[in-house]
Amino acid sequence: MKQKILSFATIVFLAVQFISCSSDDNTKIDKEPDDKEPIETVAINDTKLIAALKELGYEFEGNAIKVDQKVKETQTLNLSSKQISDLEGIKAFENLNEIKLADNKLDMAFDFNQLPETVTAIELQGNDLYEFYNLAERSIDKLYLPEKARFNMEDVLNFYKTNKDAVDNGTIDMKMTVKGELKTYTTLREIPDPILREYMQETFPSLFPNAGDLLDIATPMRIPENTAEFQLGREFNQSKTKDPNYDETRDPDSYDNTYLWMDETKEEFKTTKIENYEGIQYVLQHKDYGATWININNNHQAKNTTIEYLKIPDNGISWLWMRNFHIARGVKITNTSLKQLNFTFMSGFKTLDLSSSADLFVGGSLTMSGLNITNNPDLEEIIVPKSKLSDMQWGQVRLMYLPKLQKADFSHLNSFWGYSYFKGLPVWNVAFPKTLTEADYQINIGFDDVMLTTHKEKCIELMHKVEASTPKYWFLYCGIDPKTGKWNNTIFMDKDGNLL
């Protein structure tokens, strides 16, 4: 009998041990001795967020927050001024109604989908944010925005227009930082520079209510303002005789002397004296704007830093030329109509992504399709995808003085047109097609000494492809003309790089 009892006890003991050891190793649980329900955990990546939550008394297992009763019952979180840059894991607070994130390190873009669906109040002032994704999908009754939100003409503006009556009567508490102070959100914007403001008032009068000095970003553009060309400053260099830095042995494309236009006193040169370009964003991003040609030049010698983030939405702009701007926070182009992009003396951004402009080279000389990227010292990659259209893709390509360019893929091009130049590219990982489509028009390709020494084989290979595709071609050496001792961009050479 004792033996049977002992055996039974042994069986029970072993069964208990088996059950206790058979838990899934991947399941994050934490059980108190008297707690029958396992406590789930959610991983959090940001160490600053972990520290802030620990300060508020929340418990962690490593970098994972324990989703205990305290977390489940939390309705308000004050995480202001905690140096937080990543909110991954915040959805652990499934009953959260309000979250305060003022004065943190949230940068560039904020996605409202990263918050629990229960959140209806959020404070974001004091963060360096330009984009606010999926805002329209949320039901929000309190929204505090940072100062850079004034440039957002998509999610923020659409949220306001949808809820304008509720914002205006105070049902929705929507505020934005203006010169360091939270104020009720409006769509009125300042144009700080008086010369730029005057030009915009003359060119786009419908955007200025009651002929005032404030621009309303919510106002539709009238015809013909919606197609009015935006022309600021001067693109072309002054006569060499007026240039104190003129050097006959230097490539004119390698330096900028358009500041000389600022000495002109005639009215037609007035916009060369603009010092602050804040406000051009309100035209370039306007959903109704679709001018063929935008040409904006900063003629000051010092690069202007007021355009921290350049955004060109899908609004119909065809040609975009810009000169001498520092754009520290990047360039975002989602325009599908773009046919010509000219960026000269532009800095601050590493990637130029033209993924949305896949039809850039469709049309060739018929649409003046081209890409001119010159003197962009920080640029490392150019992304130009293949068009989905079956049409021929042929373009005028000029890549010049790009010391950090690592990658650019033009392997989908069928051909070139006009004058294409490649100069000053120490690293040339530029891909071109194996063969070019046969053509009966003139194709001109130019290289400088850097290209013909450092990348001679690639240059010769491209010239051979051109020669095989058309009977009409010029191959040009760009450098000191041995006959004159001066710089010349049109010194003829053969397909093997020998001067003629």
Side-chain angles (χ1 to χ4, degrees):
M1 182 67 180
K2 289 182 178 180
Q3 185 177 0
K4 291 182 178 179
I5 293 175
L6 180 60
S7 299
F8 179 76
T10 302
I11 293 171
V12 170
F13 173 79
L14 292 174
V16 170
Q17 291 299 312
F18 175 77
I19 293 172
S20 66
C21 295
S22 63
S23 299
D24 187 349
D25 291 339
N26 295 322
T27 302
K28 297 291 186 179
I29 61 173
D30 184 16
K31 294 182 67 174
E32 299 296 333
D34 298 326
D35 190 0
K36 297 181 181 180
E37 291 294 328
I39 298 178
E40 297 179 6
T41 60
V42 175
I44 292 180
N45 298 325
D46 192 320
T47 56
K48 300 295 184 181
L49 177 55
I50 292 173
L53 292 172
K54 284 183 176 179
E55 286 181 12
L56 295 174
Y58 296 98
E59 295 187 6
F60 278 76
E61 185 179 291
N63 71 330
I65 189 172
K66 293 182 179 180
V67 188
D68 54 19
Q69 200 63 25
K70 179 180 174 66
V71 170
K72 293 178 180 179
E73 292 178 354
T74 297
Q75 295 186 354
T76 300
L77 270 180
N78 188 350
L79 299 172
S80 297
S81 305
K82 299 298 182 182
Q83 305 292 305
I84 296 167
S85 60
D86 185 356
L87 291 176
E88 180 70 28
I90 205 68
K91 282 190 174 182
F93 294 85
E94 58 188 31
N95 291 308
L96 190 64
N97 293 329
E98 180 177 23
I99 185 168
K100 299 180 179 181
L101 294 165
D103 303 313
N104 276 294
K105 297 294 183 181
L106 300 172
D107 190 51
M108 280 306 295
F110 187 87
D111 190 344
F112 283 80
N113 280 350
Q114 66 189 314
L115 300 176
E117 294 182 359
T118 53
V119 172
T120 59
I122 180 169
E123 297 183 7
L124 293 170
Q125 70 272 27
N127 291 282
D128 198 19
L129 294 169
Y130 293 82
E131 302 284 5
F132 302 85
Y133 299 129
N134 299 302
L135 173 57
E137 300 173 8
R138 306 301 293 248
S139 176
I140 292 178
D141 52 36
K142 177 184 177 182
L143 177 62
Y144 290 178
L145 296 165
E147 198 151 4
K148 301 297 175 55
R150 69 184 184 276
F151 298 119
N152 189 285
M153 296 177 65
E154 293 178 326
D155 298 83
V156 172
L157 178 58
N158 291 336
F159 177 84
Y160 172 77
K161 291 166 71 173
T162 301
N163 300 282
K164 184 179 184 304
D165 292 340
V167 174
D168 292 348
N169 65 31
T171 304
I172 293 180
D173 185 12
M174 184 178 182
K175 291 184 171 66
M176 181 176 68
T177 304
V178 179
K179 296 181 179 179
E181 182 182 350
L182 268 178
K183 295 184 177 181
T184 299
Y185 182 91
T186 75
T187 56
L188 297 177
R189 301 288 182 267
E190 289 186 4
I191 311 297
D193 190 282
I195 298 176
L196 177 60
R197 181 171 62 247
E198 180 181 344
Y199 174 87
M200 293 177 66
Q201 287 171 326
E202 293 174 354
T203 310
F204 312 102
S206 65
L207 297 183
F208 294 84
N210 302 317
D213 287 340
L214 296 178
L215 181 147
D216 190 345
I217 62 173
T219 301
M221 273 192 179
R222 297 174 183 167
I223 298 173
E225 296 172 32
N226 62 330
T227 56
E229 292 182 351
F230 206 172
Q231 306 281 341
L232 297 177
R234 290 287 172 139
E235 163 70 18
F236 301 105
N237 290 357
Q238 280 271 42
S239 167
K240 64 183 180 181
T241 59
K242 294 184 179 181
D243 185 355
N245 300 314
Y246 180 73
D247 183 347
E248 291 183 335
T249 64
R250 289 181 63 189
D251 182 359
D253 289 321
S254 68
Y255 67 100
D256 180 63
N257 67 357
T258 56
Y259 66 90
L260 293 171
W261 289 115
M262 296 175 64
D263 296 332
E264 298 288 344
T265 58
K266 296 179 181 179
E267 183 70 18
E268 62 186 286
F269 299 101
K270 189 173 184 177
T271 60
T272 64
K273 300 171 178 60
I274 294 173
E275 296 182 357
N276 187 336
Y277 288 82
E278 179 179 326
I280 66 172
Q281 300 97 321
Y282 306 134
V283 172
L284 297 181
Q285 296 182 44
H286 202 291
K287 66 179 182 63
D288 296 336
Y289 191 54
T292 300
W293 187 20
I294 308 299
N295 189 9
I296 300 175
N297 305 279
N298 170 30
N299 293 120
H300 289 259
Q301 286 181 279
K303 285 184 172 63
N304 187 282
T305 58
T306 56
I307 305 178
E308 296 179 359
Y309 178 48
L310 179 65
K311 184 175 181 179
I312 308 297
D314 192 15
N315 56 3
I317 294 174
S318 300
W319 292 6
L320 176 62
W321 291 17
M322 293 188 71
R323 185 184 188 95
N324 199 28
F325 286 96
H326 182 77
I327 305 176
R329 304 315 307 275
V331 176
K332 183 178 181 180
I333 298 177
T334 56
N335 185 301
T336 60
S337 304
L338 197 63
K339 288 297 182 183
Q340 190 175 121
L341 181 65
N342 188 334
F343 274 2
T344 56
F345 295 96
M346 303 284 280
S347 62
F349 53 95
K350 295 181 179 180
T351 301
L352 182 59
D353 188 349
L354 301 173
S355 296
S356 298
S357 306
D359 299 336
L360 178 67
F361 294 119
V362 173
S365 63
L366 302 178
T367 57
M368 304 293 285
S369 296
L371 185 66
N372 179 7
I373 310 298
T374 303
N375 287 287
N376 286 216
D378 303 312
L379 186 63
E380 297 177 2
E381 181 179 16
I382 302 174
I383 301 173
V384 184
K386 181 179 180 180
S387 172
K388 295 181 180 179
L389 300 175
S390 59
D391 303 58
M392 181 171 172
Q393 296 182 71
W394 41 315
Q396 182 170 256
V397 180
R398 297 180 180 180
L399 305 180
M400 301 182 288
Y401 305 108
L402 308 174
K404 294 184 179 180
L405 183 66
Q406 298 289 326
K407 184 179 180 182
D409 187 354
F410 298 95
S411 60
H412 57 281
L413 279 185
N414 300 112
S415 185
F416 298 93
W417 71 270
Y419 287 81
S420 292
Y421 284 103
F422 304 94
K423 298 186 286 187
L425 307 176
V427 180
W428 198 34
N429 293 326
V430 179
F432 289 106
K434 294 182 178 179
T435 59
L436 297 175
T437 301
E438 291 187 8
D440 60 357
Y441 50 81
Q442 183 80 25
I443 298 177
N444 310 306
I445 304 286
F447 302 96
D448 71 347
D449 193 54
V450 171
M451 307 303 294
L452 291 170
T453 54
T454 308
H455 313 292
K456 186 173 182 178
E457 291 184 2
K458 292 183 178 180
C459 294
I460 292 175
E461 180 184 2
L462 183 56
M463 288 190 285
H464 279 224
K465 291 177 182 178
V466 171
E467 189 259 354
S469 69
T470 179
K472 303 175 184 178
Y473 57 83
W474 287 346
F475 300 131
L476 308 171
Y477 169 68
C478 308
I480 305 298
D481 191 328
K483 297 179 181 179
T484 65
K486 301 178 181 180
W487 187 276
N488 190 339
N489 279 318
T490 56
I491 303 172
F492 291 100
M493 60 182 176
D494 64 22
K495 65 180 180 180
D496 294 314
N498 302 307
L499 299 186
L500 299 176

